[in-house]
Amino acid sequence: MDVQRWQAAAVPWWVTKVGLVGGWIVAFYFAASANDAPCTAAQPCVPDPLFSLAVVPLLATPLLLLFGRVLTGCAMGVLFGALDIVLDGSAAANVAFGLHAGACAVVAAWTIRSRADQHEAAGATLVTLPDMPPQRGVLRIIAVLLVVFGFLTFVQYNIINGEIEQHVAKASRVEAEVVEVKNTYEVWVELPDRQRASFEPLAPETYQVGDAVPVLADGTWVRMVNEPEDVTWWLTLGGAAVFLAIVFAARERRRRALWTGPVKAIRVQAHPVGSRRIMLRHNKVAIATVATLADLGLAEPLYHDTDQFGRVWRGEEDPPVQLDPVEILVAGEWHHGGQVALVIEGEVVATSTLSRVRPRHTVHSAHLPGEPVTAGTPVELPSAVWPGDRRRTEGVLLLLGAAGALIALKYYPDLIVLGFVGVQCVLSAVTRFQPMLRLDHNSVVLYTSIWTYRVPWAQLHGVRRSGPQLMLAFGPHGDVLTTPHLPDEQAGEKLMWARARSLIADHPGERVTRKLNISVLVGFAYAVLWVLI
């Protein structure tokens, strides 16, 4: 295997997850903010069943690209671009999604060429997988259930749409008067017979109390003439279910296709790097990872227990000798995103997808990062390490950015992307006004952007320093958390002093606890304000 050529042939991850997804967001923004013609009684906004089905590839495009289904995601992007040009009368939307479709087509061609190059660089060794293909998996069952669900939603749409057509055929057209506008989106009207009805029109800000609104009335059934009732979302739901079924069935077919003939195979070293995830190395170079549903037991644990890991982490004991990793045969589609089978001692133990190598924050190897920190600086408890002036200044700027996004959304509600930017600003700002660490007599509290950990001193294995950052190992599984840049250069020594002081007293039964950080609640409150604007 030519490892350098194989890695160089790959399409960079940011092309799809940043370039195409970001392009989709921009295209969606331009399409949503385009000046569409208002709904009128002469030209009502009639529901479009075909466009409702086109929403499926629209929403599937960014999701598939984010989850690494590059070719399928690009195909959906090209499909929706073509459908938008045919079905959508907005020139801005046509241009935006047409350009995105062109970019998707270019990336798809690049990906096909890249996979061919990777396949060629993987060598010339071919094998035939032993035994028979595995039994039909759970994906096939899920696909069947999704098809049934999709069929039922299509039936439900026909039933509801038929009822609406019956009401329209019997309804009378009357003029209703707007009597109230609630919550800026709900419009209440009163019919000549004093009956009241509420609607949620597309542009509620255009309605004022006293306006005349033409409606169709059939007893208690009342609908606006310019905006007929739209139940085509049933078609979108059913189309999404059928699309997922096709994706699952295609994946199952690719998996079983590995047994249809000779496939490319490479013998590599397997390193467990997490829960049911294995890193593959060829000539000591990490090339890919695979995820399995079961622990294959490829290697013995590096440490006998958590206590040994703690001693090594604190520098009290030399790291254990790392045994040679297990070698396995990986056969199948030798490119990123390809289906492969893992063969050990002539038996297929699992099938999986070949994924890119990603850095891991948890350290469970003999090659530990940084240098161990020892106790040395006394501290009066309770104590806290607060962010420095720079991080507090960043927090103020982020809060101003979030407030600006909220104000802009008030006047430009179509700029949906500003809402997501504002939520991210709020989450980042709150953490800059919280303590980074809090020490007391019984535990240390660690603050992250999402979680707040309370770690009893007996559960803190130690601290290692890597530049301006500290790495704290804690808990029964040796989890590792890396702090941001701490303004207190002696924070690590203070932590270890407080730990050593606390270990004099025995606190059995105490466990590491975790709860949501207050930043998540503030972010949720901000999202609620965004929705209510």
Side-chain angles (χ1 to χ4, degrees):
M1 180 182 184
D2 189 342
V3 175
Q4 291 184 347
R5 179 186 170 192
W6 190 86
Q7 292 177 331
V11 176
W13 66 270
W14 54 265
V15 171
T16 54
K17 293 191 176 183
V18 177
L20 289 185
V21 174
W24 182 92
I25 294 175
V26 172
F28 188 87
Y29 159 71
F30 278 106
S33 59
N35 294 323
D36 295 330
C39 305
T40 63
Q43 293 183 337
C45 298
V46 181
D48 189 343
L50 186 57
F51 193 82
S52 298
L53 290 175
V55 172
V56 175
L58 168 67
L59 301 180
T61 299
L63 294 177
L64 290 168
L65 293 173
L66 286 174
F67 284 97
R69 310 297 177 187
V70 180
L71 289 181
T72 309
C74 288
M76 292 300 101
V78 172
L79 175 61
F80 181 77
L83 290 174
D84 188 81
I85 293 174
V86 173
L87 302 175
D88 195 346
S90 172
N94 293 161
V95 172
F97 282 110
L99 292 175
H100 185 261
C104 287
V106 171
V107 173
W110 184 8
T111 301
I112 293 173
R113 179 60 184 172
S114 164
R115 293 184 174 183
D117 290 344
Q118 284 188 306
H119 190 75
E120 183 179 353
T125 303
L126 299 177
V127 300
T128 300
L129 294 181
D131 304 325
M132 298 293 292
Q135 297 294 326
R136 302 287 183 180
V138 67
L139 289 181
R140 184 181 179 89
I141 300 175
I142 296 176
V144 172
L145 293 177
L146 286 172
V147 170
V148 174
F149 176 78
F151 173 76
L152 292 177
T153 57
F154 292 147
V155 172
Q156 181 71 6
Y157 167 76
N158 286 330
I159 293 174
I160 297 177
N161 192 57
E163 294 176 352
I164 293 175
E165 291 177 350
Q166 292 179 3
H167 283 299
V168 171
K170 297 187 296 183
S172 302
R173 177 168 173 165
V174 298
E175 294 289 331
E177 181 183 354
V178 177
V179 294
E180 186 179 4
V181 179
K182 283 186 178 180
N183 302 323
T184 70
Y185 64 86
E186 187 178 9
V187 177
W188 282 81
V189 300
E190 184 176 286
L191 278 65
D193 60 358
R194 301 298 181 181
Q195 178 183 351
R196 290 196 173 191
S198 65
F199 306 107
E200 295 181 6
L202 297 175
E205 67 278 1
T206 60
Y207 293 85
Q208 303 292 333
V209 175
D211 290 349
V213 178
V215 299
L216 295 176
D218 179 24
T220 58
W221 184 88
V222 181
R223 296 294 183 271
M224 301 174 69
V225 173
N226 56 339
E227 294 186 30
E229 185 175 3
D230 187 358
V231 293
T232 55
W233 60 271
W234 283 102
L235 295 177
T236 303
L237 184 62
V242 174
F243 174 73
L244 281 176
I246 295 173
V247 171
F248 289 153
R251 184 176 180 183
E252 180 73 6
R253 183 176 181 181
R254 283 179 61 196
R255 184 174 72 100
R256 295 178 63 83
L258 297 176
W259 277 263
T260 59
V263 291
K264 188 146 300 187
I266 301 175
R267 187 166 294 278
V268 295
Q269 296 175 328
H271 299 257
V273 292
S275 177
R276 298 180 176 85
R277 182 170 289 275
I278 301 167
M279 179 180 291
L280 306 179
R281 288 182 177 175
H282 184 74
N283 293 335
K284 300 181 180 181
V285 178
I287 54 177
T289 61
V290 292
T292 61
L293 298 177
D295 185 2
L296 304 183
L298 295 177
E300 294 293 329
L302 186 62
Y303 302 99
H304 297 298
D305 51 33
T306 307
D307 291 337
Q308 184 191 14
F309 170 74
R311 293 192 299 270
V312 174
W313 183 264
R314 295 188 297 271
E316 300 170 359
E317 181 178 317
D318 292 334
V321 177
Q322 200 162 7
L323 301 177
D324 292 335
V326 176
E327 286 195 349
I328 64 175
L329 190 69
V330 179
E333 302 170 340
W334 257 100
H335 56 73
H336 288 143
Q339 289 291 309
V340 293
L342 310 183
V343 184
I344 300 178
E345 297 181 354
E347 180 182 355
V348 177
V349 295
T351 57
S352 185
T353 302
L354 214 60
S355 304
R356 298 176 184 272
V357 177
R358 295 180 176 86
R360 292 286 165 179
H361 71 280
T362 302
V363 179
H364 289 290
S365 71
H367 304 286
L368 302 179
E371 297 294 333
V373 177
T374 57
T377 304
V379 60
E380 184 178 351
L381 300 178
S383 176
V385 178
W386 290 88
D389 294 338
R390 179 178 177 179
R391 284 183 64 85
R392 284 195 291 266
T393 302
E394 291 174 354
V396 172
L397 295 177
L398 287 168
L399 285 178
L400 292 176
L406 206 59
I407 295 172
L409 284 169
K410 175 69 175 178
Y411 298 98
Y412 304 99
D414 292 335
L415 299 178
I416 301 176
V417 68
L418 287 179
F420 295 106
V421 172
V423 171
Q424 184 61 49
C425 287
V426 167
L427 292 176
S428 301
V430 173
T431 59
R432 283 163 170 76
F433 294 103
Q434 287 182 308
M436 306 172 83
L437 298 172
R438 188 182 294 276
L439 318 179
D440 58 35
H441 294 281
N442 299 319
S443 62
V444 55
V445 181
L446 313 174
Y447 295 87
T448 68
S449 58
I450 303 297
W451 300 104
T452 299
Y453 296 88
R454 179 186 176 276
V455 181
W457 290 116
Q459 293 286 347
L460 180 67
H461 304 306
V463 180
R464 298 180 75 91
R465 178 181 285 113
S466 177
Q469 296 177 309
L470 297 180
M471 287 166 286
L472 287 72
F474 60 90
H477 304 294
D479 296 325
V480 176
L481 187 146
T482 302
T483 68
H485 183 279
L486 297 177
D488 187 354
E489 296 180 356
Q490 299 297 317
E493 285 76 5
K494 293 177 180 179
L495 268 168
M496 293 303 293
W497 181 88
R499 176 183 180 275
R501 179 181 181 277
S502 174
L503 292 182
I504 299 175
D506 188 18
H507 299 283
E510 293 191 32
R511 297 182 301 174
V512 177
T513 58
R514 184 183 71 174
K515 63 180 181 180
L516 285 175
N517 195 322
I518 187 65
S519 62
V520 177
L521 301 179
V522 176
F524 178 77
Y526 182 92
V528 171
L529 288 176
W530 166 28
V531 172
L532 294 179
I533 287 180

